[in-house]
Amino acid sequence: TQLLEQSPQFLSIQEGENLTVYCNSSSVFSSLQWYRQEPGEGPVLLVTVVTGGEVKKLKRLTFQFGDARKDSSLHITAAQPGDTGLYLCAGAAGSGYALNFGKGTSLLVTP
Amino acid sequence: AAGVIQSPRHLIKEKRETATLKCYPIPRHDTVYWYQQGPGQDPQFLISFYEKMQSDKGSIPDRFSAQQFSDYHSELNMSSLELGDSALYFCASSIGGTRNGYTFGSGTRLTVV
């Protein structure tokens, strides 16, 4: 059973377009994180959200944590080819527990 | 800045052989995690260590074992290898628990033939 459901699974867009990726769960998380992974490399942490309703911005990326701390979204404005990669959300029930990952959203941005 | 170091980067083994993967966490990070990622799959948590003691256990097969040593490096030992064990194995480290995020190594690609 997948604890974290991500959608869409695949996304192919053109440079300059906006997109939103969703991460949903029926469980409450103490924190939720977003990672970006390149093929054959380890995931790289983008952001951690801990407070329900929290919004964090990282340049053209906007992350939101749901009020109930069960879901999150990642919005990319004016996507660029360098944004191409696998975006993974991950959450933990508590600080002492390991992260569970979603299946990821594979994003392709073409020039 | 120092990162998480994993070795070897690539490993090819035959069925029923054993393999040992090594991980050197970021200095002063108190927790080490091991994950397995099959082709097109999300990382699956195997096991973690906090201050050299096993802290959490995930879907780690009985054929696998791991430990963290006094110098904080960790090793994942895999015996009686099966074709299905072929995957990327990542080590990650963190300080202060999950809340501060993980730093992942570049992984070891294990191929069992």
Side-chain angles (χ1 to χ4, degrees), chain A residues 2 30-31 33 35 37 40-43 45 48 50 86 88 92 94-104, chain B residues 9 33 35 37 40-45 48 55-56 88 90 96-102 104-107 109:
Chain A
Q2 195 72 21
S30 63
S31 68
Q33 298 164 12
Y35 291 79
Q37 186 178 22
E41 296 294 328
L45 178 67
T48 300
V50 298
L86 180 67
L88 294 157
S95 182
Y97 295 91
L99 285 175
N100 287 294
F101 283 84
K103 285 200 175 294
Chain B
R9 193 80 165 88
Y33 309 84
Y35 282 80
Q37 187 174 29
Q41 301 294 315
D42 54 295
Q44 293 292 316
F45 171 64
S48 63
S55 55
D56 198 2
L88 270 169
F90 291 107
T98 299
R99 197 173 173 103
N100 295 322
Y102 295 179
F104 281 82
S106 295
R109 180 176 294 280

Side-chain angles (χ1 to χ4, degrees), chain A residues 61-103:
Chain A
L61 278 59
T62 302
F63 305 86
Q64 185 161 8
F65 201 13
D67 291 341
R69 306 207 323 274
K70 293 183 179 181
D71 55 86
S72 180
S73 64
L74 158 60
H75 182 79
I76 301 179
T77 304
Q80 298 177 2
D83 296 327
T84 294
L86 180 67
Y87 289 83
L88 294 157
C89 69
S95 182
Y97 295 91
L99 285 175
N100 287 294
F101 283 84
K103 285 200 175 294

